[in-house]
Amino acid sequence: QLQLVESGGGLVQPGGSLKLSCTAEDTLEDYAIGWFRQVPGMEREGVACISKNGASGVYPYSVKGRTSISRENAKNTVYLQMNSLKPEDTAVYYCAAAKFEAPNSCFWSPRGPHYWGKGTQVTVSS
């Protein structure tokens, strides 16, 4: 059982930046960590994932080039850096953890036996 807490969301103007944090009370070294987002009436979608050994990927074309994911295992924390924010980035952002044996494995689907945080709201508006 792993408990995750997201933080760092808030209200930002278009073109601004945010760095979201996903923090656990226990080590994350055995987990791949994914960031997801969801707006009302829409399905939850994967944004980015980082493996146990730091291999990472960003999935939606709309955020490629302005989004990155990183981890700092000593702080039990994974980050999502988002730049050049747009109103369509407005959503609740969640982190999730999945355990893999392979050090470079990752995941993109919100389905499955993942551990989830409660989410942090990101609002992009002028």
Side-chain angles (χ1 to χ4, degrees), residues 35-118:
W35 280 98
F36 299 80
R37 65 184 182 183
Q38 187 171 27
V39 299
M42 301 290 290
E43 294 184 350
R44 189 170 299 185
E45 68 170 348
V47 178
C49 181
I50 187 165
S51 71
K52 293 190 296 183
N53 68 350
S56 62
V58 178
Y59 306 115
Y61 180 82
S62 62
V63 300
K64 286 182 182 294
R66 58 188 184 91
T67 302
S68 63
I69 186 171
S70 61
R71 66 191 301 156
E72 193 169 354
N73 286 340
K75 295 183 178 180
N76 298 336
T77 300
V78 173
Y79 304 99
L80 184 71
Q81 178 71 49
M82 300 193 70
N83 304 317
S84 301
L85 285 163
K86 304 174 181 179
E88 52 263 42
D89 294 319
T90 296
V92 178
Y93 284 73
Y94 302 87
C95 64
K99 203 169 187 177
F100 294 101
E101 292 185 355
N104 63 343
S105 293
C106 227
F107 62 103
W108 61 270
S109 174
R111 301 185 184 275
H114 307 310
Y115 300 103
W116 291 93
K118 298 298 183 181

